[in-house]
Amino acid sequence: MTTTIIISLCILLLLAYLFDLSASKTKVPSVILLLLSGWLVKQILNTVEITMPNFAALLPVLGTVGLIMIVLEGALELELNKSKFNLVKKSVLVAFIPMICLSFFLAFLFYYFQGVNFKDAFINAVPFCVISSAIAIPSVSSLDIYKKEFVIYESSISDILGVVLFNFVAFNAVIDFSAVSSFFIQIIIVLVASFVCTIFLAFLLNRIEHHVKFVPIIILIILIYSVSKIYHLPGLIFIMLFGLFIGNLDELRRFAWIDKFKPDELNKEVHKFKETIAEFAFIVRALFFLLFGFLINTADLLNTESLGWALVIVASIVVFRALFLKLFKVPLKPLLFIAPRGLITILLFLSILPENSISLVDNALVIQVIMISALVMMIGLMTSRTK
């Protein structure tokens, strides 16, 4: 059995690599193919009556590590300079404002049609309002540099703000002045801690001479994020700041203290670190979506009761996105269609406490929204010219 599992995993991961290579040519998001591959493996095992262990507990673990790797990979690719200011501003606005508006809109629909209290409706709405950087970033490699960078900024910021918004609403019994004050204090704590941790990790990256140097740093990054989650702090802010800092050392040379890190030598290490993170991100992302596909029940995928709601949610996503892209003068095609839901939606859905859950928002609805939004992105990329 062990050998069979290893062989199967190797074949599936090689297929995932081929899906990743072909995505820019076929415009078919690799996530769709990964989910289908995982689902097909389960159907084959059921047909030959082979029983596998329950892997459901691995899903949030892989998802959390994957989210860290993907946000870090995106942050390392971003450039910080004056020429990027307008792009960053627009991506932040398009990531944040539609998320808030869509959250309130979907919460009102859940509140009105499901008869639940508004706070529970809002908590269940937020997971559907966050763009998945795990799906969006790998799918835009064929776009021009402006649109590609816009998607990287927007989806990474959407992940961060989505987690912050969800935690703020879900873990505060009452939303009042005290809760808001506590929230801003947490943000300040995270910013200060992020600065200290970033300096420390950059120092380690430059000074470790052992042949194994990147794995301990990656483990420390995951550890810092996990500890921040225990205290409901927005740890993704630290991930983003660390990636931006070490990825933009040349832009930061105007500060005298940067010379202490020996930027020329550190840049060489950062280049190797980027490659390592890209490799890790690919493996974890592929395993996550293969496992999620394996855990999909066919009945959930074809559930007609939730399909109508899934279509309404995806249509709302597209409408709100079109309004705000137009408002902030961002090109509609193909960015209008690049708003997939995925890894972060699943993680937030799994984080909803039983007392806050509503019957409508279940596995079937989450799976259908993810699949439909990915199909919309695929069609949008196929019908748009890319460089």
Side-chain angles (χ1 to χ4, degrees):
M1 177 64 76
T2 302
T3 305
T4 304
I5 292 174
I6 292 172
I7 291 171
S8 301
L9 270 178
C10 290
I11 292 171
L12 288 170
L13 287 172
L14 287 172
L15 281 174
Y17 184 65
L18 292 177
F19 297 156
D20 221 39
L21 286 177
S22 63
S24 61
K25 303 296 182 184
T26 62
K27 304 297 187 297
V28 178
S30 59
V31 64
I32 293 179
L33 300 175
L34 289 171
L35 291 173
L36 286 175
S37 299
W39 179 80
L40 283 171
V41 169
K42 184 178 182 180
Q43 305 314 306
I44 293 169
L45 292 176
N46 288 340
T47 302
V48 297
E49 297 183 349
I50 295 177
T51 303
M52 296 294 289
N54 186 359
F55 295 117
L58 288 175
L59 197 64
V61 177
L62 283 173
T64 301
V65 176
L67 179 63
I68 294 168
M69 294 295 102
I70 290 158
V71 171
L72 181 56
E73 182 186 17
L76 286 167
E77 293 296 327
L78 298 176
E79 296 179 18
L80 285 180
N81 53 56
K82 290 182 180 178
S83 65
K84 303 290 182 184
F85 177 77
N86 193 47
L87 172 64
V88 174
K89 181 182 72 174
K90 286 184 177 181
S91 60
V92 171
L93 292 172
V94 174
F96 181 64
I97 299 178
M99 180 194 298
I100 296 295
C101 295
L102 186 60
S103 295
F104 275 102
F105 177 73
L106 294 180
F108 174 77
L109 292 182
F110 295 161
Y111 165 78
Y112 185 79
F113 289 102
Q114 296 296 305
V116 297
N117 69 67
F118 192 81
K119 182 184 176 183
D120 289 345
F122 194 89
I123 291 171
N124 283 265
V126 172
F128 298 113
C129 303
V130 184
I131 297 172
S132 173
S133 59
I135 301 176
I137 293 174
S139 302
V140 297
S141 57
S142 61
L143 299 185
D144 63 65
I145 190 66
Y146 176 87
K147 293 173 184 175
K148 182 180 178 181
E149 287 188 339
F150 180 88
V151 170
I152 293 173
Y153 274 112
E154 182 200 17
S155 59
S156 300
I157 292 166
S158 180
D159 283 350
I160 294 169
L161 295 179
V163 173
V164 171
L165 177 63
F166 179 86
N167 287 341
F168 175 70
V169 178
F171 298 111
N172 283 293
V174 180
I175 309 299
D176 54 12
F177 179 77
S178 175
V180 174
S181 301
S182 176
F183 169 73
F184 280 108
I185 290 172
Q186 289 178 348
I187 295 293
I188 293 170
I189 291 171
V190 167
L191 290 174
V192 173
S194 296
F195 179 77
V196 174
C197 292
T198 295
I199 297 298
F200 174 67
L201 289 174
F203 176 80
L204 287 181
L205 189 62
N206 198 30
R207 295 303 174 93
I208 294 177
E209 295 182 357
H210 193 267
H211 66 281
V212 178
K213 64 187 305 181
F214 299 136
V215 170
I217 291 171
I218 292 170
I219 292 171
L220 280 170
I221 290 170
I222 296 171
L223 176 63
I224 293 168
Y225 176 83
S226 300
V227 171
S228 71
K229 275 196 72 176
I230 294 174
Y231 298 99
H232 307 305
L233 298 172
L236 284 178
I237 292 176
F238 154 68
I239 306 296
M240 188 80 167
L241 290 177
F242 173 68
L244 288 172
F245 175 80
I246 66 169
N248 289 273
L249 290 172
D250 290 333
E251 299 294 336
L252 298 172
R253 286 195 177 201
R254 61 180 178 273
F255 300 107
W257 55 272
I258 290 294
D259 291 333
K260 295 180 181 179
F261 292 94
K262 301 177 181 177
D264 292 329
E265 294 178 16
L266 184 54
N267 271 329
K268 296 176 184 177
E269 299 301 325
V270 169
H271 181 71
K272 297 176 188 174
F273 184 66
K274 283 182 182 180
E275 293 177 345
T276 304
I277 291 296
E279 303 276 352
F280 265 83
F282 165 76
I283 290 287
V284 179
R285 183 174 64 238
L287 287 174
F288 176 85
F289 286 114
L290 284 168
L291 178 58
F292 185 65
F294 182 82
L295 295 174
I296 289 176
N297 291 318
T298 307
D300 289 336
L301 196 60
L302 304 175
N303 190 324
T304 54
E305 293 181 6
S306 59
L307 183 59
W309 273 100
L311 292 171
V312 168
I313 291 171
V314 175
S316 303
I317 291 168
V318 173
V319 170
F320 275 87
R321 187 165 177 78
L323 288 173
F324 286 99
L325 286 175
K326 196 73 175 174
L327 177 64
F328 295 115
K329 299 178 181 179
V330 178
L332 285 179
K333 292 189 71 175
L335 295 178
L336 171 62
F337 307 103
I338 305 173
R341 272 47 183 169
L343 188 151
I344 193 69
T345 299
I346 298 165
L347 287 180
L348 294 182
F349 168 68
L350 294 174
S351 301
I352 297 174
L353 299 175
E355 59 267 27
N356 297 129
S357 63
I358 61 179
S359 58
L360 171 66
V361 181
D362 57 6
N363 289 340
L365 184 63
V366 171
I367 291 165
Q368 288 173 346
V369 169
I370 291 171
M371 293 299 290
I372 295 170
S373 63
L375 288 171
V376 167
M377 182 178 72
M378 179 182 74
I379 294 168
L381 290 171
M382 284 181 171
T383 56
S384 301
R385 287 187 176 183
T386 55
K387 292 185 180 180

